[in-house]
Every structure is written in C-alpha cells, then in structure tokens.
Amino acid sequence: MGEFRPEGSTSRVLAELARLWDQARAHSPGQVTQKRLAAVSDVPYSTVNGWATGAAEPRNLDQLVQIGQTLAGWADEPALSPREWDHLMTADRTRPTPRPLPAPPPAHVPAPTTPTDIGPSGRADTTNRDRDGDRDQVQARDRIRVGVIPQPADCFQDRQVAEHVRTATDPAGAVVPTQVLTGTGGVGKTQLAASYARRAWQQGTEVLVWADAATRDGIVSAYADAATRLSLPAGREDPERAAQEFLLWAEITDRPWLVVLDDVRRPKDLNGLWPPAVASAAGGRVLVTTRLREAALAGADRRTVAIGTFTEAEARTYLRAKLGDRDPVAELDGLAADLGLLPLALAQAAAYIGNADVTCAAYRRRLAGRLLAHAVPGEDYLPDGHRRIVTATWELSVGHADRVAPAGLARPVLYLAGVLDPAGIPQAALTSPPALEYLTSYLPGAPAGAAAEDGHAVDADTVDEVLRVLHRHNLLDHDRTAMHREVRVHQLIQRATRENLIALPELGPHLFAEVAHSAADALLLIWPPIERDQLGPVLRANATALLTTCGTALCEPDTGAHHLLFHAVNSLGEAGRPAVAGAFSADLLAICLRRLGPDHPDTLSARYNVARWRGRAGDATGAVAAFEELLPDCERALGADHPHTLIVRGGLAYCRGEIGDAAGAAAEFKELVTDFARVLGPESPLTLTARANRAAWLGQAGDAAGAVTVCEELLAVQERVLGPEHPDTLITRHGLARWRGEADAAGATATLENLLTVQKRVLGPEHPHTLITRANLATYRGRAGDVAGAIAALEELQAPCLRVLGPDHPDTLTLRSQLAKWLAEAGELARSGALLKDLHADVLRLLGADHAHTLGTRHNLAGWQGEAGDAAGAAAAFEDLLADCERLLGPDHPLTVATRGNLTRYRQKATGQK
C-alpha cells in the first residue's frame, strides 16, 4: 500500500506519476507515502491509492495537477503544467484497447524484459526476437529508440521557452503535432529538443527516433534504422525504401511516436521525408531544430518556435550553478551581459573560468582584452559535447548564406552590420552610397566605379535581398517595420565576425579599416541636419558602437579622426546628454593621443570637447581648468589666430561666465567677434556664434538692453545668411524674446509662443531647444500674472524633460527649481519646500557643494524657509550662504548681492518677531 505501482495499466498519466513517485522517493527517502501525498495535495486517500495500484485512472484534472505538483516538488524538478496533464489525459482516453500479449517464447529464446536501445551505428541486437512471429505482437511488447539523444548539459536550465515547446499548441489552443525550433547557433535548440525527447520517453512514447538532420542521408539512415527495428519490409539493403516504409508505418500505427530532426540545414533535404504527424492514427509528434527561418519549414500544420538567449534570471541561475557562490551576483550578471546571454558562450566561459581557476571579474578583464577565441577553452576541452568554439559557431551559417543568391554579399553585409549597434541599425545606412560602393567591391569582376544602371553595382534592393538571406539563416534579425532599427545582430555574432575579419592573413587590418570607414561614411551621409525624430538617437547609438569597435581604425595619422566622431559628440551634447558626450569625447581623445599624437589638431579638438561637455554637464570650474591647460597648447601647436585656438578661447570664456564672471565673458566674446571676423570673415558661422554668446553674457551680466541690441543686429544677419528657420536663427530669436522679457513679460510670452510653433515644426516637439522654450514660456506666463498657467505648463513639461534630457541634466534641474518657485508664489509652500529639498540633495550629489547652481539652490531653499514662517532659520541659512558666495563667487556676483539683501531682510523679520 506504500508504493505507486499501477501494474498492468497502460495509462500514460499513471506512468508519469509513477516516475515522479520514484524520483521523489530517491530525493526524499523515507518521507514519501501515499497518506502524506494525499494530505499535502488535499486529495482523498482512496483516490491516491486507486491511482497507485492501477485500480482507477485520473479523471479530475484539478486533483491530478495537485498530485503532480506535490510529487514534482518532492522530486526537485519542474512540474508539468495543467495543459500538459490534460494532454496526457486526452491521450489516455483516446488510446486503443491494448492487444493481448503473445504466449511466452520457447525456453531456449530469452524473452525481452526491457526496452531495446541502439547506439550511434543505429543497429541493435535482435537475436532475441521471434522473427517469424506476428509483427504487431512484437510492437506491443517492445519500446524502440533510434539514435543517441544528447546528454543534458551540465547544470541544464529548464527555461521559460521549454514550456512553450512542451505545450505544443497554437495561439488558439489547438495541439500542433509538428514544431520547428529555430534560432541562431548557440542558443540551446538541441538541448531543449533533447530534454523534450527524454521527457516524452519517460511518459511512455513507444517509438522515438532521433535523427542527425544536417544531411538527407542522416535522416534517411535514421528512418531506415527505425524500419529495421520495427521489422518493416525493405530493411537496411534499400535505405530509401526502408525510410518510406517507416513513414507509412508512422501514418497508420496506433503506437505513440516521436521523431526529432536535429540541425536541419537545407529544407530540400526533407522533401518526401516529413513524418505524417497530422495524419497519424497515434497522434505522433515531430520536433525539428534548425538555424533557418525558411518558409519551406513552415506550414499550417507546423508551429515555429523562436528560441532566443537565456533570460537574465536564467543566465544568473546557470552561472551560479556552474561557478558556485564565490562570485558576487553583480559580476555574474556582468558576465552574462558581456556575452549577450548566449547559452553556448556562457557554458564555454564557465569552463574556462573553472580550468583557469580565476574569478568571474578576472575572466571579464581577460575577455575585454583578448580575442574571443582566446577566452574560451581549446577545442579539446570544450564542455557539454560542444563541437566547436563559440567564434566558429556561426561560420558554417555564414558560408552557406554567402553562397545563396545574391551570392558573395552575405559576408560583407555582415561585416558592415558587425561594427554598428547590435540593438538596431538603420537599413538606410546599409543602402547608402558609401555602403553600396563597399559592397560592390565584393562582386566578382565588377569594374572600379561601377554604376547601378550598367548592372555591375549593388543596389538597395539587392541589399534587402541579402538581409533576408541573413535573416533566414538566423545571423541577424531583419524587420522592415522597425523604424530606423530594421537590422539587429547579436553582439557575439558581431564580435566573431570582426575578429574573423581581422584574423585574415595580411589583408585583415586593411579590410577592417575599409569596413570601418564605409560604415562611418554611411552614417554621416544619412545624418539629418536637424534631428526631428527617433533617427537621431539611433544614429548616435550606432556612432558610439562604431567608436567602440573601430575607433583605432577611424583615426589615421595621414587623415586624422573621421568627422563622424566629432559630429556624434555634438549631437549627443545638443540632445541634452552632456555627460555622455563628455565620455564619448574622452574615449576619442585616448585614441587620438595614441594614434595621432598630442599636437594633432584632432587631438586638440577632442580635448576641447572633453572640457566643453564637462562644463555643460555642470562642472564649469573643472572645465575652466581644462581650457586653461588647453589654450597655451593650441597657441603653441596651431598659432594664436588658428580657428581651433579661437574656439578654445570661446569655450574658456563661456565657462568663466558659468562660474560667475558674466561681465568678463561678455568682454571676451566681444574681442572674439573681432578676431573671428578678421580671420574667417564677418558672416562666418563661428563669427555669428561669438556674437550670440556675447549677447547672452551681456544679459546675464545685467545689461538686458545691450543684449537686445546685439540680438537684433545678429538676427538680421542670420535670417539673410542662414535663413529664418535655421536652428541658430531660432536660438537668437529665443534670446531676443528672453532679454526683451526682462522689461515686458507679456510681450516675451507672445514672442515665445510664436517661436514655439516654429520650433515644433522645424526641430520637433521634444527637441531640447523646444523644451527650453516651453520652460521659459511658462516662466514668462508666471511673470505676466498667470501663476496657475505657469505651474500647469511646468508640470506637463516634467515627463518629456526626464525622457529626453534625463533626471540629472542641468535644464531638468532648472525646471524643477522653476516649478518650486511658482508653487511658492501660489501659496503651496509644502509642495515647494519638498521639491527644493529634493532638488538640493540632487544638485549637491551631482555638482558638489561649491558649484554656483548648488549655491543658487541653497538660496531658494533659505527663501522658502523664510516664507514658511521661520525668519530666524532663513536668516541663519542666508548668513552661511553669504560666506560661501563671497568666498567662491566674489562680493559683487549677483547671487552674492541677492544673498546679502535677503540676509538683511530676514534678520529684520526675525527681530520684529521677537
């Protein structure tokens, strides 16, 4: 009564429960009993006992699921889903009445007592069979397995996608007997298929065929072996006929069967060899694994299951199981991200870590500094039966794709995609003239300078065809509906492609440089002069990827750094990401120093960008120091009148204004206007920019009238030279409205409303300049008396500012400060104070205690304290702030003057209170 042995039953449900019972007893000896199972599962003991003895079969799905979950938990293995149990119950209800077993064989012939298996040869010892007996009687007695199911990988993960494979249903819930598992090399398709096959065998599948489907011969051989085992006509002497006999048997048999076709490489190899799962009387099942996404493998009676990489949780669990507890979770997650969550790569990395006895962190350093092929075990030491190292995993697919029409182009297209952003590459870049010219060079016999119209050049349609070929081979994802991100490539396929190219004897470095420059030319050509939509972020991401993968190749001593790299820096900064622009500039500077030397103009330009975006990110003091170091180097290497030297002077003046010397900045820009006009001409873009900066700093220094005059003169020139809707012209219009607004808030509001309409159309509604105009428009509404309107506008602006600029951008911080100010004006002191406190903490974290913006936030917070009724506390805060302002900004800085006045005011209030 204490066992689970449904003797004589042919129920697949009871067979699976018996298996789980045995596993649970082995895992938890002495703790598994029928009574305990009934109690824990909340199922009557009589029901459990009836199932255990075979006297009854499960009819209640809920009870069956509860029993299954309990046993699986005790066995420490994943539980079957309700759908899987229901599938087994359905199979039990529709199974035929078992045929009676034949009489025992003569005494001199041993009776088979266990399932027969065969090895790699596909043959088995059948001397114990009664070859002259009834074939159906043999079928009812034997279970047959053909082919070798791969062993489970060490620490095999029962992945989320496995559930989709096991359920074998379409979206409508109908059972689909044929499933095609498709995915790039290394995602674990074969391991998932092997797990599915072992489970099917354990659940009572009577005939299981595992075929190496890389060739048609492999499929035919497996079918012929199965036919031999089933004693079907033809036998091994005629494999093709034997294979057809097996397929006919599969269609008419009432025995449950499974055929696994592993690693299908050519759809035509399956012509005439698809198992008849739909027509099978037994409801046979077929599982196919392939790297292909071919229409020929799909069909109404087949379900395609895309197999991707591990999830982050699966990768972490796998690495923890392989490497133990010595490495922090952050390092495991970092390694998983480094390898793109690819199961094959993680397995080989774990094997390398174990063989080398290094930490995960040490391995990641090696991975970053070595070729990928040198960061995995050698071919003789690969884990889990791997046939090749990860860098060679995709070479077979690349070679096959390169032979598919249009032949010879799959590999060079993958070269281009391999140096760009894995998360999304615009197809427009791969079909731009520089890319087409590069691809044309790979056509056999194409003359130099071939044109599309003479039939010798690659065109955009041809590239689209090649992308579909690579997509069908699972080497990349091609989605024409993904705006600006039509092409995606796994990061390890990219890395293997780059490293295989570089490794080509003699030509590798030259070919790699050619790819890098072609990709950079392509991005630069499709970069719009005004970034209105999501193409800008995509291009910036691709330029960043290009710097990371090909930065050295894009910096040549004879040509300097590719212009794309400087263009990308400016785009990043102008899009409201100054910190990212600074980091990009620092990476570029390191490459320029190494490749071009310290005095090359491009190296000096990279230093300028590092300092410039450091200041724009909030560290104006650090930027001043960097510019002061850079300026004498430019004067020495380039000369005092070189445009680069003048630009550095402008950067230094701007940052000095940021730390409080607005008058000095205005004076320096006045001199720069003269120098730029003398060197480049009065209408040069750099001359006009210097005039715009002079106007801005005049206004900041308190001379709003002077700023208006300069803006009016400048606007007339810009409208004539650049056009009325040029971004620089719009900036001047904004400045003019701002400085006029110092005396006429209502007039500024009307001007900014008109400007905002143009900016939304020309720049886009979420361009940083558009957002700044919206913020200033809200401020002038408040000044004109519409405090509620100002608050509503600023609150509405928070979401796009956070999305576009980020929470730490100076303009986002300014927006929060303005919102706090107008909330206080509206009497909402509690909300205003909470915002100011949070803002002060963020500014202190980002900029430090001595930054001018930090001092300004302290000034606003002290003022709120006074308005909230704590005049004495406000006076004390202003007293502390005054000392810091005088020390850091000087006694005449506007903030110092305002602090001094507020200190006097709140001291008087505090005295009056007393």
Side-chain angles (χ1 to χ4, degrees):
M1 299 293 287
E3 294 295 325
F4 204 108
R5 292 289 179 268
E7 301 292 346
S9 173
T10 60
S11 166
R12 294 169 66 180
V13 171
L14 293 182
E16 173 62 9
L17 290 176
R19 184 193 69 79
L20 286 171
W21 175 277
D22 291 341
Q23 293 295 321
R25 292 285 292 271
H27 193 269
S28 306
Q31 301 181 34
V32 180
T33 66
Q34 291 182 22
K35 289 186 176 181
R36 184 164 181 252
L37 177 60
V40 173
S41 304
D42 196 23
V43 174
Y45 169 73
S46 59
T47 300
V48 174
N49 181 253
W51 296 355
T53 60
E57 293 184 5
R59 292 291 182 265
N60 185 307
L61 180 60
D62 291 338
Q63 290 181 340
L64 177 58
V65 170
Q66 287 298 111
I67 292 290
Q69 288 178 342
T70 301
L71 287 174
W74 290 347
D76 194 24
E77 66 176 64
L80 293 183
S81 67
R83 182 174 289 176
E84 290 178 293
W85 282 119
D86 186 56
H87 180 73
L88 290 177
M89 290 175 67
T90 301
D92 280 353
R93 287 194 295 269
T94 58
R95 72 186 186 276
T97 303
R99 297 188 176 111
L101 292 176
H108 65 278
V109 180
T113 59
T114 59
T116 313
D117 210 338
I118 64 174
S121 68
R123 299 184 179 274
D125 184 2
T126 58
T127 58
N128 60 337
R129 295 186 180 183
D130 182 358
R131 297 182 184 274
D132 298 326
D134 181 78
R135 185 188 310 161
D136 287 341
Q137 291 178 339
V138 174
Q139 290 177 353
R141 188 169 60 235
D142 292 344
R143 295 176 69 201
I144 295 172
R145 207 162 94 177
V146 174
V148 178
I149 301 175
Q151 291 297 311
D154 185 34
C155 301
F156 174 75
Q157 297 293 301
D158 190 39
R159 300 163 60 181
Q160 290 180 6
V161 72
E163 172 69 15
H164 299 301
V165 178
R166 288 195 292 265
T167 54
T169 57
D170 64 15
V175 174
V176 180
T178 299
Q179 299 188 87
V180 180
L181 310 188
T182 178
T184 191
V187 295
K189 301 180 296 294
T190 295
Q191 279 290 317
L192 287 170
S195 174
Y196 181 93
R198 282 190 294 272
R199 180 183 285 257
W201 184 254
Q202 293 166 351
Q203 292 175 352
T205 294
E206 294 187 20
V207 177
L208 193 159
V209 178
W210 182 283
D212 181 352
T215 64
R216 183 179 178 87
D217 287 345
I219 302 170
V220 169
S221 178
Y223 288 178
D225 287 340
T228 299
R229 296 287 304 284
L230 290 164
S231 300
L232 301 178
R236 296 293 303 178
E237 294 75 18
D238 188 348
E240 287 283 350
R241 182 184 169 199
Q244 293 305 314
E245 288 289 341
F246 169 72
L247 294 175
L248 177 61
W249 170 90
E251 184 173 352
I252 64 176
T253 187
D254 57 9
R255 303 178 67 183
W257 55 264
L258 169 66
V259 172
V260 180
L261 301 170
D262 184 41
D263 193 20
V264 171
R265 297 182 182 178
R266 298 188 305 174
K268 73 175 185 178
D269 287 343
L270 282 170
N271 289 346
L273 295 179
W274 278 101
V278 173
S280 170
R285 290 168 289 166
V286 182
L287 196 63
V288 177
T289 72
T290 181
R291 298 186 185 189
L292 303 175
R293 287 187 279 205
E294 296 284 358
L297 296 175
D301 58 344
R302 302 171 196 155
R303 173 181 182 238
T304 299
V305 182
I307 307 299
T309 59
F310 277 151
T311 65
E312 292 180 0
E314 288 166 351
R316 183 186 307 126
T317 300
Y318 173 76
L319 289 174
R320 178 63 76 207
K322 288 288 291 184
L323 302 178
D325 297 329
R326 67 177 182 175
D327 295 297
V329 170
E331 288 295 337
L332 300 182
D333 290 346
L335 176 58
D338 293 343
L339 296 175
L341 303 174
L342 189 73
L344 177 73
L346 292 172
Q348 294 187 7
Y352 184 101
I353 291 171
N355 293 342
D357 192 23
V358 296
T359 65
C360 186
Y363 175 80
R364 292 182 65 197
R365 289 192 293 271
R366 295 186 187 187
L367 181 65
R370 298 184 180 184
L371 292 176
L372 185 57
H374 298 163
V376 296
E379 291 190 354
D380 293 337
Y381 305 96
L382 293 176
D384 300 327
H386 295 177
R387 299 178 182 178
R388 53 185 67 90
I389 64 174
V390 66
T391 52
T393 297
W394 304 285
E395 186 57 31
L396 182 67
S397 297
V398 175
H400 189 274
D402 213 36
R403 293 190 292 273
V404 176
L409 293 176
R411 195 180 297 274
V413 168
L414 200 56
Y415 286 159
L416 282 173
V419 298
L420 296 171
D421 181 25
I425 302 167
Q427 186 163 337
L430 302 178
T431 57
S432 67
L436 296 179
E437 182 179 351
Y438 168 77
L439 295 173
T440 297
S441 69
Y442 276 83
L443 290 178
E453 54 268 19
D454 61 21
H456 292 292
V458 176
D459 60 17
D461 290 339
T462 304
V463 174
D464 189 76
E465 291 181 52
V466 177
L467 290 172
R468 296 312 299 171
V469 170
L470 290 167
H471 175 86
R472 295 201 307 271
H473 285 77
N474 261 304
L475 290 165
L476 53 74
D477 291 316
H478 181 220
D479 180 1
R480 296 188 184 98
T481 66
M483 182 68 70
H484 306 318
R485 296 183 186 272
E486 295 90 345
V487 180
R488 298 187 305 278
V489 195
H490 191 279
Q491 65 195 59
L492 286 193
I493 295 180
Q494 288 186 309
R495 181 168 177 175
T497 300
R498 295 193 302 268
E499 293 183 0
N500 289 340
L501 175 61
I502 294 172
L504 291 175
E506 298 181 3
L507 293 176
H510 169 73
L511 294 176
F512 186 72
E514 187 178 21
V515 171
H517 280 270
S518 297
D521 290 343
L523 291 179
L524 193 57
L525 188 66
I526 69 170
W527 210 303
I530 299 175
E531 299 172 15
R532 295 185 179 88
D533 55 20
Q534 289 305 305
L535 178 58
V538 173
L539 292 174
R540 290 191 289 272
N542 277 272
T544 301
L546 197 56
L547 175 69
T548 302
T549 58
C550 309
T552 298
L554 291 174
C555 285
E556 301 288 349
D558 53 342
T559 59
H562 197 287
H563 180 60
L564 170 80
L565 303 176
F566 293 106
H567 190 83
V569 168
N570 288 332
S571 177
L572 282 166
E574 294 298 335
R577 304 184 67 192
V580 179
F584 188 108
S585 300
D587 291 340
L588 177 57
L589 174 59
I591 296 171
C592 288
L593 285 169
R594 186 170 65 251
R595 296 281 290 165
L596 309 178
D599 291 339
H600 191 282
D602 287 348
T603 305
L604 298 173
S605 292
R607 286 178 64 187
Y608 166 83
N609 279 321
V610 170
R612 177 191 182 193
W613 296 114
R614 182 178 181 179
R616 295 293 180 89
D619 185 9
T621 302
V624 166
F627 278 126
E628 287 176 340
E629 292 179 4
L630 175 59
L631 182 58
D633 290 340
C634 288
E635 291 173 336
R636 173 182 51 79
L638 306 176
D641 284 342
H642 192 282
H644 283 2
T645 305
L646 299 180
I647 290 171
V648 171
R649 284 174 55 194
L652 177 57
Y654 188 96
C655 289
R656 282 176 173 165
E658 283 289 299
I659 62 173
D661 187 8
E668 176 63 15
F669 274 112
K670 182 178 180 180
E671 292 183 14
L672 278 169
V673 169
T674 300
D675 291 339
F676 272 122
R678 174 172 49 81
V679 174
L680 301 175
E683 295 182 351
S684 161
L686 290 175
T687 305
L688 300 181
T689 299
R691 292 174 68 178
N693 278 313
R694 182 190 172 213
W697 290 112
L698 280 172
Q700 291 287 354
D703 185 5
V708 167
T709 299
V710 173
C711 283
E712 289 174 338
E713 294 171 352
L714 174 61
L715 184 60
V717 177
Q718 287 178 320
E719 288 180 334
R720 176 172 51 81
V721 174
L722 303 178
E725 294 186 350
H726 188 279
D728 289 351
T729 307
L730 298 180
I731 290 174
T732 300
R733 287 180 60 185
H734 181 276
L736 181 57
R738 177 185 180 186
W739 300 121
R740 281 177 175 169
E742 293 298 307
D744 180 10
T749 299
T751 302
L752 288 175
E753 285 175 342
N754 292 333
L755 174 61
L756 183 60
T757 301
V758 178
Q759 285 181 318
K760 285 180 177 179
R761 175 170 50 81
V762 175
L763 303 178
E766 293 194 348
H767 189 280
H769 292 176
T770 307
L771 298 179
I772 291 171
T773 298
R774 289 175 62 186
N776 284 329
L777 180 57
T779 295
Y780 283 113
R781 280 177 178 162
R783 290 184 183 179
D786 184 8
V787 175
I791 293 173
L794 291 170
E795 289 179 330
E796 183 181 340
L797 193 53
Q798 285 188 96
C801 278
L802 287 171
R803 182 170 58 251
V804 176
L805 305 178
D808 296 341
H809 189 277
D811 290 336
T812 305
L813 300 177
T814 299
L815 171 69
R816 291 166 62 189
S817 177
Q818 286 295 312
L819 179 57
K821 171 186 175 181
W822 292 113
L823 284 170
E825 288 285 334
E828 297 189 45
L829 296 179
R831 286 184 63 195
S832 175
L835 277 175
L836 285 172
K837 289 176 182 177
D838 290 343
L839 177 63
H840 179 255
D842 289 338
V843 171
L844 191 62
R845 170 178 57 84
L846 293 167
L847 306 179
D850 292 345
H851 194 280
H853 290 341
T854 307
L855 300 178
T857 304
R858 287 174 60 189
H859 181 276
N860 292 338
L861 190 56
W864 167 83
Q865 192 173 1
E867 292 301 311
D870 184 8
F878 278 121
E879 186 174 8
D880 292 340
L881 176 60
L882 180 61
D884 290 335
C885 285
E886 289 178 337
R887 173 175 58 86
L888 296 168
L889 305 178
D892 298 327
H893 188 279
L895 183 60
T896 308
V897 174
T899 301
R900 190 178 295 115
N902 279 317
L903 173 58
T904 300
R905 174 188 174 197
Y906 283 106
R907 275 179 174 169
Q908 291 173 348
K909 277 194 173 186
T911 303
Q913 287 175 347
K914 291 180 180 179

